[in-house]
Amino acid sequence: MKLVNKFIDKHGAGHVTLRPEDDEDMWHLYNLIQKDDLVRAPAIRRVQKTSATGSTESQRVRVNLTLQVGRVDFSSSANTSTAALHISGRVTAENQHVKLGAHHTLDIEANRDVRIEKADGWDSIALARVEEAIVPGRGAEVGAVVCGEGTAAFCLLSEHMTLVTHRISVSIPRKAVASGASQHEKALLKFYGSIYDAFIRHIPYANVGLKAIVIASPGWVRDSVFTHMMEEATKRGDKVLQKALREKTIKVHISSPHVHSLVEVLKSPEIVSQLKETKFAREGIVLDRFFKMLGSDEMRAWYGSNHVLLASDRGAIGTLLISDDLFRSSDPIMRKKYVALVEAVQQKGAEVVIFSSMHESGQQLNQLTGIAAILTFPLDIEVVEAEEKEAQDVQNLSEPDMTSPG
């Protein structure tokens, strides 16, 4: 993402103009743009023109439109390998082709400028997202092939996204006596050949930024896939692929051949040691720590908005786990609540990990309310809630009854 210009005053009012370059940039914009923000971007509008003779013709015209956002939609597809961002709303700045108040949908395009002016000002989370988005040299850091016997999913993992770029399914008949064995071997060779061809097309193995190539499976499949790919690369004289496979490949055991098993992959010691600095590996490590704490010392593992807020009030949070999903709340009061929580926890010197809901670890956290905390010391939820109720009762008693006659 390129930062084209930025003007924000000390109160958070102002605008930022960004130029998205790839799918991950579209995800950043999706997390930045909220209901009622003002967004200006290029759009294609069909207009009717009347000639001197009275005939009309329709033309497609490119215009810059400013919308007050009503809705933001993000989608990513394994079929197109491209993310799409659509922003709907009413036009707030009139031009010769579009009337004020007309409804329109902006289809955000790569390498086209997007100007954002936030309705409630730029808070610390939004500003941090901008700073993170404009760091150069990002992109896919891990290419993964998650496979079983006859199935394979090709994935690219970047800082904030897990993108499934391709899937393969080949029927593998069971081994049988006599001719059955040869059918089994033929099907396996066809499967390995499909994996090799798909790998060449969908995994950018020659990129310097790609830190690891993961081949993950239950059982023996990963070893066979790796062996076949090395043999095929040698046969074809593809020295770049041979070097990448030798230097970057990590073979990992998983319990099931599905994409959600990437959570297991990111927790494996081989991956942790190689990728410990990346955001998605850190998310997996922290989530694993939380679940282990929940199993061994549940008074130090709290989750749910109300409970985590109570723990924060007592200065007990050592690590806050929070999903970026919560900052996309259409209710500005809810967003402000979570922003204030993050700032309060950071001010006390604790760690804050904002999970991307486009990674498996983020989706797991979303299933657990989207917010959790590892505490620095144990707290009994029931005792804390009783203390809160007692404090509330005392406050209610001390407040004058405004309904009684004076």
Side-chain angles (χ1 to χ4, degrees):
M1 185 99 78
K2 282 194 170 68
L3 178 65
V4 179
N5 64 53
K6 174 182 173 185
F7 173 76
I8 298 168
D9 66 21
K10 62 182 180 181
H11 305 295
H15 64 266
V16 172
T17 302
L18 298 163
R19 187 177 300 153
E21 297 173 312
D22 55 26
D23 289 352
E24 191 161 3
D25 291 343
M26 296 297 181
W27 177 248
H28 281 303
L29 288 176
Y30 176 58
N31 281 277
L32 278 171
I33 297 167
Q34 291 179 285
K35 191 173 184 294
D36 293 330
D37 289 353
L38 296 179
V39 173
R40 183 173 178 80
I44 302 293
R45 190 83 175 182
R46 188 174 290 280
V47 297
Q48 299 284 340
K49 286 199 172 180
T50 306
S51 68
T53 60
S55 63
T56 60
E57 63 175 16
S58 177
Q59 284 186 331
R60 288 163 64 85
V61 179
R62 183 176 286 277
V63 292
N64 278 318
L65 292 182
T66 303
L67 304 184
Q68 183 172 22
V69 177
R71 179 173 172 171
V72 187
D73 293 303
F74 175 88
S75 61
S76 63
S77 166
N79 298 325
T80 61
S81 298
T82 304
L85 183 66
H86 310 288
I87 300 167
S88 307
R90 297 206 172 272
V91 176
T92 61
E94 193 169 10
N95 64 43
Q96 67 180 95
H97 299 298
V98 186
K99 290 181 181 177
L100 193 69
H103 193 273
H104 191 81
T105 298
L106 294 171
D107 300 318
I108 303 301
E109 301 174 62
N111 301 307
R112 302 274 183 187
D113 294 357
V114 180
R115 183 184 187 275
I116 306 165
E117 187 173 342
K118 299 202 73 62
D120 292 308
W122 291 82
D123 58 38
S124 60
I125 296 294
L127 290 171
R129 172 72 70 165
V130 171
E131 292 305 315
E132 201 172 352
I134 62 176
V135 174
R138 291 177 304 105
E141 295 182 297
V142 174
V145 185
V146 181
C147 43
E149 190 170 347
T151 64
F154 296 79
C155 310
L156 293 177
L157 283 77
S158 58
E159 281 283 287
H160 294 87
M161 293 181 74
T162 299
L163 193 64
V164 180
T165 58
H166 191 62
R167 292 181 189 272
I168 287 174
S169 182
V170 175
S171 177
I172 310 284
R174 289 177 176 275
K175 273 187 180 179
V177 291
S179 62
S182 63
Q183 293 300 315
H184 177 80
E185 298 302 327
K186 280 181 186 175
L188 279 178
L189 284 174
K190 181 184 174 186
F191 174 53
Y192 297 147
S194 299
I195 286 181
Y196 184 91
D197 294 339
F199 186 93
I200 297 295
R201 288 198 308 273
H202 297 287
I203 303 294
Y205 58 88
N207 283 13
V208 176
L210 196 76
K211 296 176 180 172
I213 295 166
V214 173
I215 304 176
S217 77
W220 49 267
V221 180
R222 62 188 179 280
D223 297 310
S224 302
V225 167
F226 176 76
T227 301
H228 178 87
M229 289 191 65
M230 281 299 287
E231 287 173 353
E232 191 65 22
T234 305
K235 196 188 300 180
R236 297 189 191 192
D238 190 336
K239 292 184 179 177
V240 176
L241 179 55
Q242 289 177 59
K243 185 173 188 287
L245 287 172
R246 263 197 317 270
E247 295 177 0
K248 298 182 180 180
T249 299
I250 304 169
K251 292 176 279 184
V252 181
H253 171 79
I254 50 176
S255 55
S256 67
H258 302 295
V259 173
H260 63 73
S261 296
L262 282 172
V263 173
E264 286 180 57
V265 171
L266 295 175
K267 288 190 299 190
S268 65
E270 309 98 300
I271 293 289
V272 168
S273 62
Q274 197 154 337
L275 304 174
K276 58 188 173 189
E277 298 306 316
T278 62
K279 176 180 166 61
F280 54 82
R282 199 162 125 255
E283 289 174 10
I285 293 162
V286 170
L287 189 67
D288 190 42
R289 266 176 53 211
F290 172 80
F291 281 123
K292 282 178 177 170
M293 187 68 77
L294 191 62
S296 63
D297 188 359
E298 62 177 18
M299 287 189 187
R300 287 185 57 201
W302 285 26
Y303 62 92
S305 173
N306 292 339
H307 288 161
V308 171
L309 283 164
L310 288 175
S312 175
D313 289 343
R314 281 157 176 73
I317 294 178
T319 304
L320 176 67
L321 297 72
I322 187 165
S323 167
D324 58 12
D325 212 26
L326 298 182
F327 298 111
R328 290 196 297 273
S329 172
S330 57
D331 180 355
I333 295 171
M334 290 295 288
R335 179 186 167 93
K336 283 176 182 173
K337 180 176 84 169
Y338 292 123
V339 170
L341 171 64
V342 167
E343 290 174 349
V345 170
Q346 286 174 330
Q347 282 167 10
K348 287 168 185 163
E351 179 186 23
V352 175
V353 182
I354 299 176
F355 282 64
S356 170
S357 47
M358 284 293 284
H359 283 316
E360 290 296 326
S361 53
Q363 289 162 26
Q364 279 195 11
L365 182 61
N366 284 342
Q367 290 169 9
L368 201 74
T369 74
I371 185 167
I374 300 170
L375 309 190
T376 52
F377 53 87
L379 280 175
D380 188 319
I381 288 175
E382 292 181 4
V383 171
V384 171
E385 287 180 333
E387 288 172 357
E388 287 293 310
K389 186 176 183 304
E390 187 178 327
Q392 187 64 49
D393 290 344
V394 170
Q395 186 181 340
N396 291 342
L397 286 170
S398 64
E399 287 176 358
D401 187 355
M402 303 304 288
T403 61
S404 61

